[in-house]
Amino acid sequence: MAEHLYIQVAERIEQLIEKEVIKIGAKLPSVRTLSKENGISISTAFQAYYHLENKGLIEPRPKSGYYVKFSSKRLLDVPKPCKPMKKASEVSTSEMIVEVFHNMTSEDIVRFSVAAPPDILLPGAKLTKAMMHAMRTTPNAGANYESLQGNHNLRLQIARQSINWGGAISEDDIIITSGCMDALTLCLSATTQPGDVIALESPAYCGAFQLAESLGLKVLEIPTHPKHGVDIEYLDKAIPKFKIKACIFVPNFNNPLGAQMPDENKKALVDIINKYDIALIEDDIYGDLYFGKHRPINCKSFDKNGNVLLCNSFSKSIAPGYRVGWTVPGKYYDKVLRLKLNHSIATATLPQAAIGYFLENGRYEHHLRNMRKALHTQCLRYQQAIYEYFPEDTCITRPAGGFVLWAELNPAVNTFELYEAALKRKISLAPGRIFSLQDRYNNCMRLSFGQPFNKRINDSLKTLGKLIQQSL
Amino acid sequence: MAEHLYIQVAERIEQLIEKEVIKIGAKLPSVRTLSKENGISISTAFQAYYHLENKGLIEPRPKSGYYVKFSSKRLLDVPKPCKPMKKASEVSTSEMIVEVFHNMTSEDIVRFSVAAPPDILLPGAKLTKAMMHAMRTTPNAGANYESLQGNHNLRLQIARQSINWGGAISEDDIIITSGCMDALTLCLSATTQPGDVIALESPAYCGAFQLAESLGLKVLEIPTHPKHGVDIEYLDKAIPKFKIKACIFVPNFNNPLGAQMPDENKKALVDIINKYDIALIEDDIYGDLYFGKHRPINCKSFDKNGNVLLCNSFSKSIAPGYRVGWTVPGKYYDKVLRLKLNHSIATATLPQAAIGYFLENGRYEHHLRNMRKALHTQCLRYQQAIYEYFPEDTCITRPAGGFVLWAELNPAVNTFELYEAALKRKISLAPGRIFSLQDRYNNCMRLSFGQPFNKRINDSLKTLGKLIQQSL
């Protein structure tokens, strides 16, 4: 679908700002001129400027017109990737993680720590309708077990959408799970034995370390670039050296960096995986939340041998509380299905049916379009506030999708201490240390930009900036 | 609550039949006499006889009155418990289990294999109401994550009911899970390391073996009496000898025997567990479905040291498809909670809220009362049909609750072959072999009496009987 006209015009202006053709502080053409030169109506010209203003890139000055306020060129530096590890680590459970995520549902805290969508971006009313429909149409109002594989219509809808990420799967390739963590747990259990070594990104989603620990696995962290993702050349050498049996990577907008692996790297990664015949568990939970023109493809789309186990869920895009995820486990299909039977028998019937209905009616695409726009805008506004309030030596990543960005502060700052100080002011953040098994990232933190930008968020980021200054 | 008058009268007659004071074939007092002698109305007297007729114990003969038709004394012999094992076994995945439970949701098969409640016994309409209420009252219509521990109201209701099984727990002792299998998985993961030995009943629920395998555990099977449950004297010696780290037992109406462990054995079992300071994972999923006067107590009610991890769910009593279970993991509480965070983050929000509301409104007790009566009647009718159609040397257990009974056939019968032959006639059963790791129980089978007794069930049991005869 073509973008609205006003967005097309706004994007051209944005590019000019980014390339510094129009510099910060410069005056933009009047609305009348913009309208005339672009052959658009006055109201479309206004909409284009409103759009850019909403993104925090331009500002109106009374009785004068619009001026350039910010350029993404002005953003802070990007952090450097970490050094490789000397050996694979036994996972040590971090009390810190429990501490940080303990307050997950508390409403009076500004939760920069949680990478979950805020209420306002979730399609509450439409979901309720879908659930009512599910109760009316499911045998025995959904009280019975769903099949082990999961709701047929939902699997069909997921298969239909696979074209968006370069896939061509059928409903029989898919297993529904209780959220993405459940999918990851089943896939990791299916591909490893206790004592095995697996590879994760560094920094990586702290839940993946915890999962590895609970399955008795060792973890090698692979240096991951804030822009291009996992260092695949290093990985190629590390797999035989450390006898890696499986990798869990998040190639699209990974957590916590927000990095997006280029398509050619995805292909190369799958080639490496196939060369050593090991498993790639691909967590694509943020894939639908891209800020660019198109949905990024998956590693799974290059998978000919069944070595890629794709995992995903609707927890980031529709309803975390429904706990509906899915996996396309390739050649591990039978094993994953059996593990699902052993560990949980089936996934809850009604949430699956409701989401299947939601997808079937084209509501998902419409909902995602709005959500992506909102998140992209939020991402920019957060970055701008960080630029304004944080010390100049702060580095931040440039997420191209998802919910989170990663900030590297002056080495003198300890972000766990910062976390504790911030919590006293009702602000929570995720300290960098929990995203690694090594004693690293102590001066880093993950900030979720899931909450819409407003005065409270602005003030909280300002407070964070002050706290950072104080700790220097 | 006192039983209805007609049931009190019926029970007295039932006792007389069982003690053979009134023998099979004997004529019962006329309705008029029964009314007069018991000081009850004619209609109450009729109700008492209808009740007994429904249970298959008496039958009306035209123009003559009621006659005794069956006594539980006449039931077939009880099977013998197995011999102890020489050593703990590595678990071998059984293709058989996948084969047997593959057709779980197929409607055109008479499923004696599935220990799940039939649609007709589930409170569909009331659950739908509870779900609507949950959507109206839960923040953001249930789209958000529930807390890690689970819905507060549901935990409160579960805690209130603990008085029924001799417990005195608070809502803070409980963790909600995605069904009972999820609770067992979390508890077993929390109490063992790969390579450890655990104890199960013999025969035991096949899912427990599969679970043990998937966690890399070895299993020692403990001889289990069809009437008294686990042989605790043997267990007392086996724990130090085999270095058992945890037991998973089903003391109330265990699956597949339907045995109920006497209360004094439960106490002794907890003493043994405490003596060696190991974990007892108590699966009480059938506990609410007793046929007697009172709910049996749990081992958990004797637990002072926190070594008992009680697991349960609403899958057998309200709605399997809701996947709502719970655990009271004693001193392993923190560990179980952390594992839940690592493996699934949270349980689906709305099903929990709906069941909490269902319980809160006293609907559960009312529903259970009807369900227990129906299941008890079904149990008797199935036993009577088995008595009629199966060979004389068949032994069957006497379930005092739950859904399943266990039949031991002539040693010449192979029940997996019987399973295959029966499936061709659209009947499925659970062959005994899948309830052990040893090459035993090949002439046994588990039959679920969950489906209401009717002509189709009667004919299917008759067909089974013929197939058994043919295989001799």
Side-chain angles (χ1 to χ4, degrees), chain A residues 269-453:
Chain A
L269 173 57
V270 175
D271 288 344
I272 292 170
I273 292 297
N274 284 335
K275 183 165 81 178
Y276 299 110
D277 196 27
I278 66 166
L280 169 61
I281 300 171
E282 180 180 31
D283 178 355
D284 195 35
I285 195 165
Y286 299 101
D288 282 342
L289 302 174
Y290 54 94
F291 301 158
K293 292 274 179 204
H294 303 290
R295 195 202 191 288
I297 59 169
N298 288 344
C299 295
K300 184 73 190 173
S301 65
F302 297 107
D303 182 33
K304 299 277 180 286
N305 303 12
N307 280 327
V308 180
L309 301 89
L310 178 64
C311 296
N312 208 326
S313 87
F314 299 98
S315 299
K316 303 295 181 191
S317 57
I318 303 184
Y322 275 45
R323 310 306 304 122
V324 176
W326 50 277
T327 175
V328 182
K331 71 180 184 188
Y332 297 94
Y333 181 92
D334 289 342
K335 212 164 170 189
V336 169
L337 199 65
R338 195 169 302 174
L339 281 167
K340 183 181 171 184
L341 176 64
N342 298 344
H343 291 190
S344 67
I345 301 177
T347 305
T349 304
L350 286 174
Q352 298 182 60
I355 290 187
Y357 182 71
F358 185 88
L359 265 62
E360 187 185 346
N361 288 273
R363 286 177 175 154
Y364 190 49
E365 259 318 304
H366 176 77
H367 160 69
L368 278 181
R369 216 151 25 211
N370 292 331
M371 191 168 186
R372 287 192 287 254
K373 271 184 205 159
L375 286 175
H376 189 188
T377 299
Q378 285 167 209
C379 180
L380 291 169
R381 298 302 294 262
Y382 276 65
Q383 289 181 322
Q384 290 157 22
I386 290 168
Y387 174 77
E388 192 167 345
Y389 302 129
F390 283 27
E392 262 185 35
D393 57 358
T394 305
C395 298
I396 60 167
T397 56
R398 312 278 188 274
F403 286 106
V404 296
L405 56 80
W406 179 255
E408 185 181 312
L409 306 172
N410 185 296
V413 179
N414 179 311
T415 49
F416 190 68
E417 288 168 14
L418 182 67
Y419 161 83
E420 288 176 323
L423 199 61
K424 285 182 191 144
R425 285 159 182 85
K426 302 276 184 198
I427 300 167
S428 106
L429 56 91
R433 179 65 186 81
I434 67 175
F435 299 96
S436 173
L437 300 175
Q438 308 296 300
D439 189 21
R440 50 165 73 132
Y441 306 131
N442 287 305
N443 61 326
C444 299
M445 63 180 166
R446 185 190 77 178
L447 293 175
S448 159
F449 51 82
Q451 301 297 320
F453 192 83

